[in-house]
Amino acid sequence: MEIGESSESPEGKKKSKSKTPRKPKDSVLKQKSPAEFFADNKNIAGFDNPGKCLYTTVRELVENALDSAESISKLPIVEITIEEIVRSKFNSMIGLAEHERVDEELYDDFESAKAREKRLAKEARIQEIQAKNANLGKKVKEPVASKAMKGRGETSYYRVTCKDNGKGMPHDDIPNMFGRVLSGTKYGLKQTRGKFGLGAKMALIWSKMSTGLPIEITSSMKGQNYTSFCRLDIDIHRNIPHIHVHEKQDKKERWHGAEIQIVIEGNWTTYRSKILHYMRQMAVITPYAEFLFRFLSDAPDKNVTVKFARRTDIMPPVPLETKYHPSAVDLLLIKRLIAETSKQNLLQFLQHEFVNISKSHAERLIGEMGPDFSHKMLVKSLTSQQIVRIHQLFRQAKFDDPSGDCLSPAGEYNLRLGIIKELHPDMVATYSGSAQVFEGHPFLVEAGVSVGGKDVKQGVNIFRFANRIPLLFEQGADVVTRTALKRINWNSYKINQAQDKIGVFVSIVSTKIPFKGTGKEYIGDDISEIAAAVKTSIQQCCTQLKSKILKRIQAREQQERKRNLSKFVIWLNGAIYDVLKEMSHLHASKRKRYTNEDAEVLNKVSNHIITRETLGEKLAQHVEQVDYEMALEYATQSGVNEEPRENIYIQTLEGESKFVDFQSPVFVFRLFQ
């Protein structure tokens, strides 16, 4: 052994090794596809947990079905079915054999003998206490179900099927429409129901992550003599469709639309109420649609079937794609518009690619840009510095606000019908405001306020809609919730905020909904234009309700007044008649003489022309007359018409007819030709 080796102890060697720094691995540049990104961050698209995944899948399919039918102005008929698939059935579907447990302690739901003994003892004590309370006549609480184990337990799978009568899909486009993330027909500046443009693609990604099963699409378009059938999944890493079957089949029935079927992991128990609540709110905002919802299970008592019938055949217009407002663009968008424009020179580009820029206005803008710009300069030749100059001028110059012609609100008429159809309130008021603008984007607020109704809790119940879709989550921070609870003085409108059943419905439509949070589930309270419009709309509804409530109060007071007067008529009648009878005796015995009208009345009493019964009838008639005159005077002073107004709903005629609709905010007059 060498001297150098013997001088170093083993402990010294260990120390020197620990101090030696590790050489870092060379970092490798990686790239993610859009599908991979959303698979890793599925909570962004509303796929937080199995229950929320089931809810979001239903929502995406229903909204796609409505868009498809509305795009061809067809009254939507949407059938949504959720079929529960237990694990054993799922395993047989994928060809996986059942396997008996060998090592029970390995599983998370294993219960030891000691734990089982402890649980049974606790249940016995609870039963004993309940028996004692029952004997003493005390209220017995329902037994609380035993807590689930900490593991995920028995996984449930669901086959979700959605069928509509919409436009259908072109045969060759189906794979890319479902198997390629961030590709679709809804991109552009217009009012859309979608939040991310993912639609059923995110449901397919979740299906691939949770079950590995493909999606099945059946589609048929008008005029086609075949039906398209496609079974596919998605290559997440490459963001391309993986096609299993894509074929044309014989068309067996005269049907157009799409039927989508997908199997996913989910949790119906925890999100049952949310899904049904969503369907109910969708029926409120789209009363012109017919929904059939079914939940099917092997246990018959768990089955659910709910039909939301159509109430009207008046559909809102299809949203129109619009151009960008100069104040709402950024540098990147200007560059994209330049790259995509078909216009040659700068003057034509400004005039045709943006709203509210006329030819004369465009000429003035170009003159303000500086000597480096001219009307006929090629728009494709603009340098980066010149594009920055255009952007700066757009931010500083004054432009007219964009109009709301491109928006498609539900309509005050439809909103009122939807509220009445689903809630059956005692009274309801609706209001539709005019189009307003924030950050260059037009928006419009519609509101409805109802009092009373079925399945409505006491207090203020908030129903929020954005681009005609319900918002069910993160309600507390929403502009509608904060306005309804904190900025409306309900007492001033004769509405009791704590005891009355109040429904507040607010629908906001825009080419850009300013959602907050990653899930896009609420609209922030920081945009003053939207907050003011929401408050005004709710106040207008409350003002309408106040007049109705005052009329009810007046009618109630009138009935009370009449009841009190009628109560004393019997006693007054007897007392007055006895006095008249005594006076008639004095008059007849000439002890006291009465003249003129008094004598005539007393003679009628003596001759039994005026009896106790006839006097009672006259007094009752007088009470009625005085009551009517007082009510009429009150109505005149308060500006209420004498004749009460009632809502009248005319049912649509069967069969197809030619007609012209004359629409107003509160009714539709249909003239048949």
Side-chain angles (χ1 to χ4, degrees), residues 167-174 218-229 247-257:
K167 181 181 180 180
M169 291 166 279
H171 179 79
D172 296 333
D173 291 347
I174 292 175
T218 305
S219 174
S220 180
M221 300 183 73
K222 272 188 176 181
Q224 286 182 346
N225 58 1
Y226 63 87
T227 298
S228 301
F229 176 77
E247 61 185 11
K248 296 179 181 179
Q249 301 176 347
D250 293 335
K251 197 170 186 177
K252 297 180 181 178
E253 56 180 335
R254 295 182 61 186
W255 165 74
H256 60 84

Side-chain angles (χ1 to χ4, degrees), residues 286-303:
T286 53
Y288 52 87
E290 180 181 310
F291 298 99
L292 177 61
F293 176 84
R294 287 188 292 253
F295 176 80
L296 305 177
S297 172
D298 292 339
D301 58 325
K302 291 174 65 177
N303 291 348

Side-chain angles (χ1 to χ4, degrees), residues 298-318:
D298 292 339
D301 58 325
K302 291 174 65 177
N303 291 348
V304 176
T305 300
V306 184
K307 184 176 181 180
F308 300 91
R310 180 182 295 121
R311 181 61 188 264
T312 176
D313 58 0
I314 304 300
M315 292 177 61
V318 178

Side-chain angles (χ1 to χ4, degrees), residues 65-77:
L66 289 173
D67 286 336
S68 178
E70 290 174 5
S71 66
I72 57 173
S73 299
K74 188 79 175 175
L75 291 170
I77 301 175

